[in-house]
Amino acid sequence: MMRGINKVDIRINSYIPITDVEGVGTRFAVWVQGCSIHCKGCANSHMWDFENGTTYNVEDFIDLIKSYKDKIEGITFLGGEPLEQIKPVTEICKAVQSIGLSVIVFTGFDYSDLKGRQDFQELIKYVDILIDGKYEQDKTDYSRAWVGSSNQNYYFLTNRYDESVITECKNRIEVRINPDNSIIMTGMGDFKELTELMR
């Protein structure tokens, strides 16, 4: 398919089209590549470098998500840092919302610091749940859904979900074994403890 002259790309570390541990219900999870925050103890430090990952045309990636429309409740953006690629993330969120899917976005930035940004105000028009705050290793806490430290906050930006999902959804870890015998673990919990158990 011919693409317009103003094509927009997004750099992604990885994605999982069908997962039950990255937000409400079954979701298409996207880990963007690149993060300047560099939280101490970050489980995804391999996603910090902006030059790594794979570049996708946004329209093509939207088409990929749409092909899973009947199997998922929505998409979740993680990272890396989604807001450091805010333009393509916004385009994808807008397209996803237009076909009735929900959107969850994680950011290491603080919501209070983002409110004055026009590009952020445009993004959150298409976000159902925003989860903010850096991972703070000395505040590690896995008792709440999807977050790893007690300083992180949930913002319910539409009427689709409310605070009840925090208690209804429990932290879980999915373990995938690839054909090459590599293991991928996603979700939220004590990955170090699980890795030791697997050894």
Side-chain angles (χ1 to χ4, degrees), residues 111 114-125:
Y111 182 69
L114 296 165
K115 287 182 183 178
R117 286 177 46 177
Q118 188 173 351
D119 57 354
F120 178 71
Q121 291 300 323
E122 181 64 20
L123 168 66
I124 61 173
K125 291 178 186 176

Side-chain angles (χ1 to χ4, degrees), residues 3 23 53 69-70 84 115 118 124 127 132 151 156 175 178 182 195:
R3 297 297 179 192
K69 178 182 183 295
D70 296 331
E84 292 189 304
K115 287 182 183 178
Q118 188 173 351
I124 61 173
V127 176
D132 82 336
N151 60 292
F156 298 90
V175 179
N178 293 324
S182 63
T195 301

Side-chain angles (χ1 to χ4, degrees), residues 11 19 21 24 29 57 65 111 127 145 151 165 167 185 191 196:
R11 189 170 286 270
T19 177
V21 298
V24 186
N57 172 266
I65 295 169
Y111 182 69
V127 176
N151 60 292
V165 299
T167 51
M185 292 186 289
F191 284 93
E196 289 302 315

Side-chain angles (χ1 to χ4, degrees), residues 64-127:
L64 175 62
I65 295 169
K66 285 180 176 178
S67 72
Y68 288 89
K69 178 182 183 295
D70 296 331
K71 299 176 182 176
I72 58 175
E73 180 163 340
I75 67 166
T76 300
F77 273 105
L78 311 102
E81 174 49 58
L83 298 196
E84 292 189 304
Q85 297 189 63
I86 196 165
K87 183 177 179 182
V89 167
T90 299
E91 286 197 27
I92 294 169
C93 292
K94 182 177 181 179
V96 164
Q97 285 277 10
S98 74
I99 59 171
L101 298 176
S102 64
V103 175
I104 298 174
V105 175
F106 284 79
T107 179
F109 295 109
D110 290 334
Y111 182 69
S112 58
D113 295 333
L114 296 165
K115 287 182 183 178
R117 286 177 46 177
Q118 188 173 351
D119 57 354
F120 178 71
Q121 291 300 323
E122 181 64 20
L123 168 66
I124 61 173
K125 291 178 186 176
Y126 313 109
V127 176

Side-chain angles (χ1 to χ4, degrees), residues 153-166:
N153 303 292
Y154 307 80
Y155 298 90
F156 298 90
L157 305 176
T158 68
N159 294 326
R160 192 188 296 254
Y161 303 118
D162 61 35
E163 292 184 7
S164 65
V165 299
I166 300 172

